[in-house]
Amino acid sequence: MTATATASAPATDIEKQFTISRTFNAPRDLVWKAWTEAEHLAQWWGPKGCTIRVIKLDFRPGGIFHYAMAFQPGHEMYGRFVYGDIVAPQQLQWINSFSDPEGGVTRAPFGGIAADFPLEVHNTMTLTEEGGKTTLTLRGGPLNATQAERKCFEGMFDSMQQGFAGTFDRLDEYLAKA
Amino acid sequence: MAADPLSHKFAALADPTRRAILARLALGETTVTDLAKPFKMSGPAISKHLKVLETAGLIARGREAQWRPCRIEVNALREVDDWLEEYRRMWEARLDRLEDYLHELQATENKRGRKK
Protein backbone atom coordinates (compact mmCIF):
# COMPACT_ATOMS: atom_id res chain seq x y z
CA MET A 1 0.00 0.00 0.00
CA THR A 2 1.44 3.34 -1.00
CA ALA A 3 0.83 6.69 0.61
CA THR A 4 -1.26 7.76 -2.36
CA ALA A 5 -4.30 5.67 -1.44
CA THR A 6 -7.48 7.35 -2.52
CA ALA A 7 -9.06 8.54 0.69
CA SER A 8 -11.50 10.64 -1.32
CA ALA A 9 -13.16 7.65 -3.00
CA PRO A 10 -13.83 5.23 -0.17
CA ALA A 11 -14.73 1.67 -1.07
CA THR A 12 -16.95 1.64 1.97
CA ASP A 13 -20.66 1.50 2.51
CA ILE A 14 -22.03 4.70 4.06
CA GLU A 15 -24.81 2.77 5.77
CA LYS A 16 -22.34 0.58 7.56
CA GLN A 17 -20.19 3.11 9.31
CA PHE A 18 -19.24 3.81 12.86
CA THR A 19 -20.54 7.24 13.83
CA ILE A 20 -19.77 9.45 16.77
CA SER A 21 -20.66 13.06 17.38
CA ARG A 22 -19.76 15.73 19.92
CA THR A 23 -20.43 19.45 20.36
CA PHE A 24 -17.55 21.57 21.63
CA ASN A 25 -17.82 24.95 23.23
CA ALA A 26 -15.23 26.34 20.83
CA PRO A 27 -15.19 28.03 17.43
CA ARG A 28 -14.76 25.83 14.39
CA ASP A 29 -11.43 27.33 13.38
CA LEU A 30 -9.92 26.27 16.67
CA VAL A 31 -11.28 22.70 16.45
CA TRP A 32 -9.91 22.49 12.92
CA LYS A 33 -6.51 23.66 14.09
CA ALA A 34 -6.46 21.07 16.86
CA TRP A 35 -7.05 18.34 14.26
CA THR A 36 -4.68 19.49 11.58
CA GLU A 37 -1.51 20.87 13.20
CA ALA A 38 1.19 18.58 14.54
CA GLU A 39 1.83 20.43 17.81
CA HIS A 40 -1.89 20.29 18.67
CA LEU A 41 -2.53 16.70 17.58
CA ALA A 42 0.35 15.54 19.75
CA GLN A 43 -1.45 16.96 22.79
CA TRP A 44 -4.65 14.96 22.60
CA TRP A 45 -4.80 12.30 19.84
CA GLY A 46 -3.01 9.56 21.74
CA PRO A 47 -4.77 7.35 24.28
CA LYS A 48 -4.64 8.43 27.92
CA GLY A 49 -1.27 8.07 29.57
CA CYS A 50 0.50 7.90 26.26
CA THR A 51 2.82 10.40 24.68
CA ILE A 52 2.67 11.07 20.98
CA ARG A 53 5.77 11.75 18.98
CA VAL A 54 5.03 13.24 15.59
CA ILE A 55 7.38 11.70 13.06
CA LYS A 56 5.95 13.42 10.05
CA LEU A 57 2.96 15.57 9.25
CA ASP A 58 2.41 16.46 5.64
CA PHE A 59 -1.00 18.06 5.65
CA ARG A 60 -2.27 17.88 2.07
CA PRO A 61 -4.39 15.37 0.10
CA GLY A 62 -2.29 12.22 -0.20
CA GLY A 63 0.05 13.45 2.53
CA ILE A 64 0.83 11.44 5.61
CA PHE A 65 0.70 11.94 9.37
CA HIS A 66 2.99 9.36 10.92
CA TYR A 67 3.27 9.18 14.68
CA ALA A 68 4.65 7.07 17.48
CA MET A 69 2.69 6.34 20.66
CA ALA A 70 4.61 5.42 23.79
CA PHE A 71 2.77 3.97 26.78
CA GLN A 72 6.07 3.41 28.54
CA PRO A 73 9.55 4.60 27.59
CA GLY A 74 11.14 2.47 24.90
CA HIS A 75 7.87 0.78 23.85
CA GLU A 76 6.53 2.63 20.87
CA MET A 77 3.56 1.74 18.67
CA TYR A 78 2.98 3.52 15.43
CA GLY A 79 0.00 4.90 13.62
CA ARG A 80 -0.60 6.84 10.49
CA PHE A 81 -3.15 8.91 8.60
CA VAL A 82 -3.16 9.31 4.86
CA TYR A 83 -5.11 12.44 4.09
CA GLY A 84 -7.84 12.53 1.47
CA ASP A 85 -10.08 15.49 0.72
CA ILE A 86 -9.40 18.55 2.83
CA VAL A 87 -12.06 21.27 2.91
CA ALA A 88 -10.87 23.72 5.57
CA PRO A 89 -12.35 24.24 8.09
CA GLN A 90 -15.34 21.97 7.59
CA GLN A 91 -14.42 18.54 6.33
CA LEU A 92 -11.46 16.24 6.58
CA GLN A 93 -11.05 12.74 5.21
CA TRP A 94 -8.26 10.38 6.08
CA ILE A 95 -7.35 6.73 6.21
CA ASN A 96 -6.22 5.60 9.63
CA SER A 97 -4.18 2.50 10.37
CA PHE A 98 -1.59 1.09 12.69
CA SER A 99 1.87 1.47 11.30
CA ASP A 100 5.52 0.50 11.70
CA PRO A 101 8.58 2.72 12.23
CA GLU A 102 8.89 3.16 8.47
CA GLY A 103 5.30 4.28 7.94
CA GLY A 104 3.90 1.07 6.41
CA VAL A 105 0.47 -0.36 7.29
CA THR A 106 0.32 -3.04 10.00
CA ARG A 107 -2.29 -4.92 12.02
CA ALA A 108 -3.09 -3.82 15.54
CA PRO A 109 0.04 -4.65 17.55
CA PHE A 110 -1.83 -5.92 20.59
CA GLY A 111 -4.33 -8.63 21.45
CA GLY A 112 -7.96 -8.31 22.42
CA ILE A 113 -8.90 -6.80 19.12
CA ALA A 114 -10.73 -8.84 16.50
CA ALA A 115 -8.25 -10.29 13.98
CA ASP A 116 -10.57 -9.31 11.18
CA PHE A 117 -10.78 -5.73 12.32
CA PRO A 118 -10.15 -3.77 9.13
CA LEU A 119 -6.52 -2.96 8.43
CA GLU A 120 -7.45 0.51 7.30
CA VAL A 121 -10.37 2.65 8.40
CA HIS A 122 -11.59 5.48 6.24
CA ASN A 123 -12.69 8.42 8.37
CA THR A 124 -14.71 11.46 7.45
CA MET A 125 -14.90 14.28 9.96
CA THR A 126 -17.37 17.10 9.52
CA LEU A 127 -17.40 20.30 11.56
CA THR A 128 -20.38 22.65 11.72
CA GLU A 129 -20.50 25.84 13.77
CA GLU A 130 -23.53 27.42 15.37
CA GLY A 131 -23.57 30.17 17.97
CA GLY A 132 -19.88 29.79 18.73
CA LYS A 133 -20.19 26.03 19.29
CA THR A 134 -18.81 23.42 16.96
CA THR A 135 -20.36 20.06 16.30
CA LEU A 136 -18.03 17.34 15.17
CA THR A 137 -19.35 14.27 13.42
CA LEU A 138 -17.05 11.43 12.63
CA ARG A 139 -17.83 8.46 10.43
CA GLY A 140 -15.52 5.52 9.97
CA GLY A 141 -15.71 2.45 7.79
CA PRO A 142 -13.38 -0.24 6.53
CA LEU A 143 -11.39 0.49 3.40
CA ASN A 144 -10.28 -2.05 0.80
CA ALA A 145 -11.47 -4.65 3.27
CA THR A 146 -11.44 -8.37 2.65
CA GLN A 147 -14.85 -9.99 2.82
CA ALA A 148 -14.05 -11.29 6.30
CA GLU A 149 -13.02 -7.83 7.51
CA ARG A 150 -16.10 -6.23 6.01
CA LYS A 151 -18.37 -8.77 7.64
CA CYS A 152 -16.65 -8.36 10.97
CA PHE A 153 -17.08 -4.59 10.83
CA GLU A 154 -20.70 -4.88 9.71
CA GLY A 155 -21.41 -7.17 12.63
CA MET A 156 -19.80 -4.66 14.96
CA PHE A 157 -21.62 -1.77 13.44
CA ASP A 158 -25.04 -3.41 13.37
CA SER A 159 -24.64 -4.64 16.92
CA MET A 160 -23.70 -1.15 18.02
CA GLN A 161 -26.64 0.42 16.20
CA GLN A 162 -29.16 -1.96 17.67
CA GLY A 163 -27.65 -1.78 21.10
CA PHE A 164 -27.00 -5.16 22.58
CA ALA A 165 -27.35 -3.54 25.97
CA GLY A 166 -31.12 -3.86 25.63
CA THR A 167 -30.78 -7.55 24.93
CA PHE A 168 -28.70 -7.98 28.06
CA ASP A 169 -31.20 -6.17 30.24
CA ARG A 170 -33.86 -8.62 29.15
CA LEU A 171 -31.47 -11.49 29.56
CA ASP A 172 -30.56 -10.42 33.08
CA GLU A 173 -34.24 -10.29 33.98
CA TYR A 174 -34.71 -13.72 32.51
CA LEU A 175 -31.77 -15.17 34.42
CA ALA A 176 -32.95 -13.53 37.63
CA LYS A 177 -36.30 -15.28 37.26
CA ALA A 178 -34.89 -18.63 36.16
CA MET B 1 -5.50 -15.52 8.08
CA ALA B 2 -6.96 -17.58 10.88
CA ALA B 3 -9.56 -15.33 12.42
CA ASP B 4 -9.95 -15.12 16.18
CA PRO B 5 -13.20 -16.15 17.91
CA LEU B 6 -14.32 -12.55 18.26
CA SER B 7 -14.08 -11.99 14.52
CA HIS B 8 -16.26 -15.06 13.96
CA LYS B 9 -18.83 -13.64 16.35
CA PHE B 10 -18.96 -10.30 14.62
CA ALA B 11 -19.23 -11.95 11.22
CA ALA B 12 -22.14 -14.05 12.52
CA LEU B 13 -23.81 -10.89 13.81
CA ALA B 14 -23.62 -9.21 10.41
CA ASP B 15 -26.98 -10.70 9.44
CA PRO B 16 -30.36 -9.28 10.51
CA THR B 17 -32.05 -12.69 10.78
CA ARG B 18 -29.35 -13.97 13.08
CA ARG B 19 -29.57 -10.89 15.27
CA ALA B 20 -33.34 -11.33 15.43
CA ILE B 21 -32.86 -14.96 16.45
CA LEU B 22 -30.55 -13.85 19.26
CA ALA B 23 -33.04 -11.24 20.40
CA ARG B 24 -35.71 -13.93 20.52
CA LEU B 25 -33.43 -16.29 22.43
CA ALA B 26 -32.72 -13.56 24.95
CA LEU B 27 -36.30 -14.14 26.09
CA GLY B 28 -35.55 -17.74 26.84
CA GLU B 29 -34.59 -21.15 25.54
CA THR B 30 -36.72 -22.33 22.63
CA THR B 31 -37.04 -25.00 19.96
CA VAL B 32 -36.17 -24.58 16.30
CA THR B 33 -39.84 -24.91 15.34
CA ASP B 34 -40.88 -22.11 17.67
CA LEU B 35 -37.91 -20.03 16.61
CA ALA B 36 -38.86 -20.35 12.94
CA LYS B 37 -42.45 -19.18 13.48
CA PRO B 38 -41.96 -15.39 13.33
CA PHE B 39 -39.68 -15.69 10.30
CA LYS B 40 -40.98 -16.37 6.84
CA MET B 41 -38.36 -19.03 6.40
CA SER B 42 -38.15 -22.75 5.98
CA GLY B 43 -36.86 -24.95 8.77
CA PRO B 44 -33.65 -25.74 6.88
CA ALA B 45 -33.00 -22.03 6.28
CA ILE B 46 -33.35 -21.30 10.00
CA SER B 47 -31.18 -24.30 10.81
CA LYS B 48 -28.46 -22.85 8.60
CA HIS B 49 -28.50 -19.60 10.57
CA LEU B 50 -28.46 -21.53 13.85
CA LYS B 51 -25.45 -23.48 12.63
CA VAL B 52 -23.56 -20.21 12.00
CA LEU B 53 -24.49 -18.90 15.44
CA GLU B 54 -23.51 -22.17 17.05
CA THR B 55 -20.15 -22.33 15.26
CA ALA B 56 -19.45 -18.75 16.34
CA GLY B 57 -20.17 -19.81 19.91
CA LEU B 58 -23.07 -17.39 20.35
CA ILE B 59 -25.66 -20.10 20.99
CA ALA B 60 -25.68 -23.63 22.28
CA ARG B 61 -28.11 -26.42 21.45
CA GLY B 62 -29.44 -29.20 23.59
CA ARG B 63 -28.44 -32.76 22.84
CA GLU B 64 -31.94 -34.28 22.86
CA ALA B 65 -32.36 -35.69 19.35
CA GLN B 66 -35.88 -34.48 18.57
CA TRP B 67 -36.11 -31.45 20.76
CA ARG B 68 -32.92 -29.52 20.39
CA PRO B 69 -33.62 -26.35 22.32
CA CYS B 70 -31.45 -23.36 21.48
CA ARG B 71 -30.14 -21.02 24.07
CA ILE B 72 -27.96 -18.00 24.05
CA GLU B 73 -24.37 -18.22 25.29
CA VAL B 74 -24.42 -15.35 27.72
CA ASN B 75 -20.67 -15.03 28.17
CA ALA B 76 -20.02 -14.98 24.44
CA LEU B 77 -22.47 -12.15 23.92
CA ARG B 78 -20.99 -10.29 26.87
CA GLU B 79 -17.58 -10.54 25.22
CA VAL B 80 -19.03 -8.98 22.08
CA ASP B 81 -20.73 -6.26 24.07
CA ASP B 82 -17.56 -5.48 26.05
CA TRP B 83 -15.51 -5.10 22.91
CA LEU B 84 -18.05 -2.72 21.38
CA GLU B 85 -18.15 -0.75 24.62
CA GLU B 86 -14.40 -0.46 24.60
CA TYR B 87 -14.29 0.70 21.00
CA ARG B 88 -16.83 3.41 21.63
CA ARG B 89 -15.14 4.37 24.88
CA MET B 90 -11.83 4.79 23.08
CA TRP B 91 -13.44 7.39 20.85
CA GLU B 92 -15.36 9.05 23.68
CA ALA B 93 -12.13 9.31 25.68
CA ARG B 94 -10.33 10.81 22.72
CA LEU B 95 -13.02 13.43 22.25
CA ASP B 96 -12.90 14.15 26.01
CA ARG B 97 -9.21 14.89 25.69
CA LEU B 98 -9.87 17.12 22.69
CA GLU B 99 -12.51 18.98 24.69
CA ASP B 100 -10.08 19.59 27.56
CA TYR B 101 -7.38 20.63 25.18
CA LEU B 102 -9.68 23.12 23.41
CA HIS B 103 -10.47 24.67 26.81
CA GLU B 104 -6.76 25.01 27.49
CA LEU B 105 -6.17 26.62 24.12
CA GLN B 106 -9.01 29.06 24.67
CA ALA B 107 -7.80 29.93 28.15
CA THR B 108 -4.33 30.67 26.77
CA GLU B 109 -5.77 32.79 23.99
CA ASN B 110 -7.92 34.74 26.44
CA LYS B 111 -4.90 35.48 28.61
CA ARG B 112 -2.98 36.74 25.62
CA GLY B 113 -5.98 38.79 24.57
CA ARG B 114 -6.13 40.51 27.94
CA LYS B 115 -2.44 41.36 27.86
CA LYS B 116 -2.79 43.23 24.57
Side-chain angles (χ1 to χ4, degrees):
Chain A
M1 173 69 58
T2 63
T4 50
T6 50
S8 51
T12 185
D13 183 347
I14 288 280
E15 298 298 314
K16 299 282 182 197
Q17 295 193 330
F18 170 73
T19 309
I20 195 164
S21 184
R22 179 77 67 97
T23 300
F24 298 101
N25 197 1
R28 182 161 71 175
D29 284 340
L30 193 66
V31 180
W32 180 261
K33 240 165 87 174
W35 272 89
T36 55
E37 292 176 14
E39 52 164 325
H40 296 308
L41 270 169
Q43 297 300 317
W44 66 270
W45 174 256
K48 199 177 175 177
C50 149
T51 39
I52 286 259
R53 181 168 63 86
V54 177
I55 299 167
K56 184 182 177 185
L57 192 139
D58 181 13
F59 189 65
R60 60 179 175 82
I64 189 170
F65 167 40
H66 183 213
Y67 54 95
M69 302 175 274
F71 289 92
Q72 44 181 308
H75 286 274
E76 287 192 325
M77 292 188 333
Y78 303 87
R80 72 169 214 188
F81 292 11
V82 176
Y83 292 108
D85 282 357
I86 299 172
V87 188
Q90 56 208 30
Q91 198 180 69
L92 181 63
Q93 298 196 9
W94 75 98
I95 299 164
N96 198 188
S97 62
F98 285 99
S99 186
D100 56 28
E102 287 74 44
V105 175
T106 58
R107 291 245 165 233
F110 46 80
I113 193 163
D116 281 330
F117 188 78
L119 207 48
E120 296 181 288
V121 175
H122 179 274
N123 291 301
T124 302
M125 178 189 72
T126 309
L127 300 177
T128 53
E129 190 185 75
E130 209 183 313
K133 293 185 183 207
T134 303
T135 299
L136 176 154
T137 305
L138 184 111
R139 289 200 314 264
L143 184 78
N144 301 322
T146 62
Q147 208 195 348
E149 289 170 352
R150 189 172 294 276
K151 265 195 140 177
C152 173
F153 196 89
E154 278 180 23
M156 273 176 57
F157 173 85
D158 289 333
S159 307
M160 242 183 243
Q161 290 295 93
Q162 299 190 350
F164 263 100
T167 307
F168 287 123
D169 289 346
R170 269 187 287 159
L171 194 59
D172 284 339
E173 276 172 39
Y174 168 72
L175 291 175
K177 275 186 235 151
Chain B
M1 160 173 316
D4 60 297
L6 197 50
S7 294
H8 277 307
K9 291 184 178 79
F10 281 126
L13 287 167
D15 180 278
T17 305
R18 290 199 284 271
R19 290 194 304 276
I21 289 174
L22 284 173
R24 168 67 190 83
L25 288 177
L27 300 173
E29 197 174 278
T30 186
T31 61
V32 179
T33 323
D34 284 345
L35 253 188
K37 271 178 197 160
F39 303 100
K40 290 192 176 95
M41 261 187 206
S42 65
I46 287 288
S47 290
K48 226 178 194 173
H49 283 303
L50 291 176
K51 187 84 208 148
V52 175
L53 288 170
E54 196 181 7
T55 307
L58 291 167
I59 65 163
R61 303 179 68 178
R63 287 284 148 238
E64 298 85 348
Q66 291 300 313
W67 198 83
R68 297 196 64 198
C70 303
R71 63 183 156 76
I72 224 162
E73 284 284 14
V74 185
N75 289 336
L77 261 189
R78 283 246 156 81
E79 188 194 352
V80 164
D81 200 49
D82 288 349
W83 197 90
L84 292 176
E85 259 307 295
E86 207 177 302
Y87 189 76
R88 185 162 279 281
R89 250 203 318 261
M90 173 195 82
W91 270 106
E92 294 287 358
R94 184 172 272 159
L95 295 180
D96 287 347
R97 286 193 301 277
L98 174 58
E99 195 161 12
D100 291 346
Y101 183 61
L102 288 169
H103 280 155
E104 262 177 56
L105 281 180
Q106 281 173 303
T108 319
E109 272 183 14
N110 284 343
K111 254 187 222 160
R112 275 204 209 117
R114 276 202 296 275
K115 274 181 196 158
K116 266 178 209 164

